[in-house]
PDB file of all heavy atoms in Angstrom:
ATOM      1  N   LEU T  87      63.759  29.795 -66.489  1.00 91.00           N
ATOM      2  CA  LEU T  87      63.390  28.428 -66.124  1.00 91.00           C
ATOM      3  C   LEU T  87      63.353  28.261 -64.611  1.00 91.00           C
ATOM      4  O   LEU T  87      63.540  27.169 -64.094  1.00 91.00           O
ATOM      5  CB  LEU T  87      64.375  27.434 -66.747  1.00 91.00           C
ATOM      6  CG  LEU T  87      64.462  27.444 -68.272  1.00 91.00           C
ATOM      7  CD1 LEU T  87      65.416  26.356 -68.751  1.00 91.00           C
ATOM      8  CD2 LEU T  87      63.099  27.265 -68.911  1.00 91.00           C
ATOM      9  N   ILE T 108      75.499  25.690 -69.261  1.00 97.00           N
ATOM     10  CA  ILE T 108      74.419  26.668 -69.305  1.00 97.00           C
ATOM     11  C   ILE T 108      74.995  28.018 -68.905  1.00 97.00           C
ATOM     12  O   ILE T 108      75.653  28.134 -67.859  1.00 97.00           O
ATOM     13  CB  ILE T 108      73.259  26.270 -68.377  1.00 97.00           C
ATOM     14  CG1 ILE T 108      72.748  24.863 -68.739  1.00 97.00           C
ATOM     15  CG2 ILE T 108      72.133  27.281 -68.451  1.00 97.00           C
ATOM     16  CD1 ILE T 108      71.617  24.375 -67.837  1.00 97.00           C
ATOM     17  N   ARG T 109      74.740  29.020 -69.708  1.00 97.00           N
ATOM     18  CA  ARG T 109      75.325  30.337 -69.456  1.00 97.00           C
ATOM     19  C   ARG T 109      74.243  31.327 -69.018  1.00 97.00           C
ATOM     20  O   ARG T 109      73.100  31.266 -69.478  1.00 97.00           O
ATOM     21  CB  ARG T 109      76.059  30.838 -70.693  1.00 97.00           C
ATOM     22  CG  ARG T 109      77.199  29.892 -71.086  1.00 97.00           C
ATOM     23  CD  ARG T 109      78.129  30.456 -72.138  1.00 97.00           C
ATOM     24  NE  ARG T 109      79.201  29.504 -72.427  1.00 97.00           N
ATOM     25  CZ  ARG T 109      80.336  29.432 -71.738  1.00 97.00           C
ATOM     26  NH1 ARG T 109      80.543  30.282 -70.739  1.00 97.00           N
ATOM     27  NH2 ARG T 109      81.258  28.544 -72.045  1.00 97.00           N
ATOM     28  N   THR T 110      74.651  32.221 -68.131  1.00 97.00           N
ATOM     29  CA  THR T 110      73.724  33.212 -67.582  1.00 97.00           C
ATOM     30  C   THR T 110      74.237  34.629 -67.781  1.00 97.00           C
ATOM     31  O   THR T 110      73.796  35.557 -67.109  1.00 97.00           O
ATOM     32  CB  THR T 110      73.507  32.962 -66.076  1.00 97.00           C
ATOM     33  OG1 THR T 110      74.760  33.052 -65.396  1.00 97.00           O
ATOM     34  CG2 THR T 110      72.896  31.593 -65.837  1.00 97.00           C
ATOM     35  N   TYR T 119      77.910  27.322 -66.238  1.00 98.00           N
ATOM     36  CA  TYR T 119      77.450  26.389 -65.207  1.00 98.00           C
ATOM     37  C   TYR T 119      77.311  25.020 -65.863  1.00 98.00           C
ATOM     38  O   TYR T 119      76.521  24.829 -66.786  1.00 98.00           O
ATOM     39  CB  TYR T 119      76.160  26.900 -64.587  1.00 98.00           C
ATOM     40  CG  TYR T 119      76.402  28.182 -63.806  1.00 98.00           C
ATOM     41  CD1 TYR T 119      76.431  29.411 -64.457  1.00 98.00           C
ATOM     42  CD2 TYR T 119      76.670  28.152 -62.447  1.00 98.00           C
ATOM     43  CE1 TYR T 119      76.695  30.584 -63.757  1.00 98.00           C
ATOM     44  CE2 TYR T 119      76.925  29.314 -61.735  1.00 98.00           C
ATOM     45  CZ  TYR T 119      76.940  30.534 -62.404  1.00 98.00           C
ATOM     46  OH  TYR T 119      77.212  31.689 -61.709  1.00 98.00           O
ATOM     47  N   PHE T 137      69.425  21.473 -61.856  1.00 97.00           N
ATOM     48  CA  PHE T 137      70.117  22.750 -61.727  1.00 97.00           C
ATOM     49  C   PHE T 137      71.025  22.751 -60.501  1.00 97.00           C
ATOM     50  O   PHE T 137      72.076  23.388 -60.494  1.00 97.00           O
ATOM     51  CB  PHE T 137      69.105  23.890 -61.633  1.00 97.00           C
ATOM     52  CG  PHE T 137      68.362  24.153 -62.921  1.00 97.00           C
ATOM     53  CD1 PHE T 137      67.023  24.532 -62.894  1.00 97.00           C
ATOM     54  CD2 PHE T 137      68.982  24.033 -64.148  1.00 97.00           C
ATOM     55  CE1 PHE T 137      66.339  24.788 -64.066  1.00 97.00           C
ATOM     56  CE2 PHE T 137      68.307  24.270 -65.334  1.00 97.00           C
ATOM     57  CZ  PHE T 137      66.971  24.658 -65.292  1.00 97.00           C
ATOM     58  N   SER T 138      70.619  22.018 -59.469  1.00 97.00           N
ATOM     59  CA  SER T 138      71.413  21.992 -58.235  1.00 97.00           C
ATOM     60  C   SER T 138      72.759  21.301 -58.417  1.00 97.00           C
ATOM     61  O   SER T 138      73.655  21.445 -57.579  1.00 97.00           O
ATOM     62  CB  SER T 138      70.630  21.292 -57.134  1.00 97.00           C
ATOM     63  OG  SER T 138      70.320  19.952 -57.508  1.00 97.00           O
ATOM     64  N   LEU T 140      74.773  21.753 -61.109  1.00 98.00           N
ATOM     65  CA  LEU T 140      75.646  22.515 -61.999  1.00 98.00           C
ATOM     66  C   LEU T 140      76.826  23.107 -61.233  1.00 98.00           C
ATOM     67  O   LEU T 140      76.673  23.637 -60.120  1.00 98.00           O
ATOM     68  CB  LEU T 140      74.858  23.627 -62.685  1.00 98.00           C
ATOM     69  CG  LEU T 140      73.769  23.164 -63.654  1.00 98.00           C
ATOM     70  CD1 LEU T 140      72.925  24.354 -64.116  1.00 98.00           C
ATOM     71  CD2 LEU T 140      74.377  22.446 -64.864  1.00 98.00           C
ATOM     72  N   PRO T 142      79.959  25.895 -61.341  1.00 98.00           N
ATOM     73  CA  PRO T 142      80.472  27.072 -62.056  1.00 98.00           C
ATOM     74  C   PRO T 142      81.908  26.838 -62.503  1.00 98.00           C
ATOM     75  O   PRO T 142      82.787  26.548 -61.681  1.00 98.00           O
ATOM     76  CB  PRO T 142      80.371  28.188 -61.007  1.00 98.00           C
ATOM     77  CG  PRO T 142      80.414  27.491 -59.696  1.00 98.00           C
ATOM     78  CD  PRO T 142      79.792  26.140 -59.899  1.00 98.00           C
ATOM     79  N   ALA T 152      82.073  32.190 -57.779  1.00 96.00           N
ATOM     80  CA  ALA T 152      80.997  32.514 -58.722  1.00 96.00           C
ATOM     81  C   ALA T 152      79.674  32.674 -57.986  1.00 96.00           C
ATOM     82  O   ALA T 152      79.439  32.025 -56.951  1.00 96.00           O
ATOM     83  CB  ALA T 152      80.869  31.417 -59.765  1.00 96.00           C
ATOM     84  N   PRO T 153      78.790  33.496 -58.497  1.00 96.00           N
ATOM     85  CA  PRO T 153      77.452  33.604 -57.892  1.00 96.00           C
ATOM     86  C   PRO T 153      76.658  32.331 -58.120  1.00 96.00           C
ATOM     87  O   PRO T 153      76.969  31.549 -59.027  1.00 96.00           O
ATOM     88  CB  PRO T 153      76.831  34.793 -58.635  1.00 96.00           C
ATOM     89  CG  PRO T 153      77.561  34.851 -59.943  1.00 96.00           C
ATOM     90  CD  PRO T 153      78.958  34.402 -59.647  1.00 96.00           C
ATOM     91  N   PRO T 154      75.644  32.080 -57.321  1.00 96.00           N
ATOM     92  CA  PRO T 154      74.805  30.887 -57.534  1.00 96.00           C
ATOM     93  C   PRO T 154      74.162  30.911 -58.925  1.00 96.00           C
ATOM     94  O   PRO T 154      73.928  31.976 -59.496  1.00 96.00           O
ATOM     95  CB  PRO T 154      73.750  30.989 -56.435  1.00 96.00           C
ATOM     96  CG  PRO T 154      74.330  31.911 -55.408  1.00 96.00           C
ATOM     97  CD  PRO T 154      75.203  32.865 -56.150  1.00 96.00           C
ATOM     98  N   PHE T 155      73.896  29.720 -59.442  1.00 98.00           N
ATOM     99  CA  PHE T 155      73.241  29.614 -60.742  1.00 98.00           C
ATOM    100  C   PHE T 155      71.872  30.280 -60.706  1.00 98.00           C
ATOM    101  O   PHE T 155      71.093  30.059 -59.778  1.00 98.00           O
ATOM    102  CB  PHE T 155      73.091  28.143 -61.131  1.00 98.00           C
ATOM    103  CG  PHE T 155      72.306  27.920 -62.389  1.00 98.00           C
ATOM    104  CD1 PHE T 155      72.825  28.276 -63.628  1.00 98.00           C
ATOM    105  CD2 PHE T 155      71.029  27.371 -62.339  1.00 98.00           C
ATOM    106  CE1 PHE T 155      72.096  28.081 -64.785  1.00 98.00           C
ATOM    107  CE2 PHE T 155      70.301  27.167 -63.496  1.00 98.00           C
ATOM    108  CZ  PHE T 155      70.844  27.525 -64.725  1.00 98.00           C
ATOM    109  N   ASP T 156      71.585  31.095 -61.719  1.00 97.00           N
ATOM    110  CA  ASP T 156      70.322  31.833 -61.801  1.00 97.00           C
ATOM    111  C   ASP T 156      69.492  31.275 -62.948  1.00 97.00           C
ATOM    112  O   ASP T 156      69.701  31.614 -64.108  1.00 97.00           O
ATOM    113  CB  ASP T 156      70.599  33.319 -62.017  1.00 97.00           C
ATOM    114  CG  ASP T 156      69.325  34.158 -62.062  1.00 97.00           C
ATOM    115  OD1 ASP T 156      68.231  33.592 -61.860  1.00 97.00           O
ATOM    116  OD2 ASP T 156      69.428  35.375 -62.302  1.00 97.00           O
ATOM    117  N   ALA T 157      68.551  30.403 -62.615  1.00 95.00           N
ATOM    118  CA  ALA T 157      67.734  29.758 -63.648  1.00 95.00           C
ATOM    119  C   ALA T 157      66.779  30.717 -64.331  1.00 95.00           C
ATOM    120  O   ALA T 157      66.181  30.366 -65.353  1.00 95.00           O
ATOM    121  CB  ALA T 157      66.955  28.592 -63.052  1.00 95.00           C
ATOM    122  N   SER T 158      66.634  31.917 -63.817  1.00 95.00           N
ATOM    123  CA  SER T 158      65.729  32.895 -64.436  1.00 95.00           C
ATOM    124  C   SER T 158      66.411  33.719 -65.518  1.00 95.00           C
ATOM    125  O   SER T 158      65.768  34.559 -66.148  1.00 95.00           O
ATOM    126  CB  SER T 158      65.169  33.846 -63.370  1.00 95.00           C
ATOM    127  OG  SER T 158      66.178  34.715 -62.884  1.00 95.00           O
ATOM    128  N   ASN T 159      67.701  33.470 -65.759  1.00 96.00           N
ATOM    129  CA  ASN T 159      68.454  34.333 -66.673  1.00 96.00           C
ATOM    130  C   ASN T 159      69.383  33.518 -67.564  1.00 96.00           C
ATOM    131  O   ASN T 159      70.578  33.772 -67.658  1.00 96.00           O
ATOM    132  CB  ASN T 159      69.270  35.361 -65.859  1.00 96.00           C
ATOM    133  CG  ASN T 159      69.870  36.440 -66.731  1.00 96.00           C
ATOM    134  OD1 ASN T 159      69.185  37.042 -67.553  1.00 96.00           O
ATOM    135  ND2 ASN T 159      71.163  36.681 -66.577  1.00 96.00           N
ATOM    136  N   ILE T 160      68.831  32.513 -68.258  1.00 95.00           N
ATOM    137  CA  ILE T 160      69.638  31.646 -69.113  1.00 95.00           C
ATOM    138  C   ILE T 160      69.819  32.303 -70.470  1.00 95.00           C
ATOM    139  O   ILE T 160      68.846  32.632 -71.155  1.00 95.00           O
ATOM    140  CB  ILE T 160      68.985  30.258 -69.236  1.00 95.00           C
ATOM    141  CG1 ILE T 160      69.000  29.579 -67.869  1.00 95.00           C
ATOM    142  CG2 ILE T 160      69.713  29.408 -70.281  1.00 95.00           C
ATOM    143  CD1 ILE T 160      68.268  28.268 -67.820  1.00 95.00           C
TER     144      ILE T 160
END
Side-chain angles (χ1 to χ4, degrees):
L87 300 183
I108 304 178
R109 299 191 179 274
T110 60
Y119 293 83
F137 290 144
S138 60
L140 294 172
F155 174 70
D156 182 3
S158 70
N159 190 49
I160 295 174

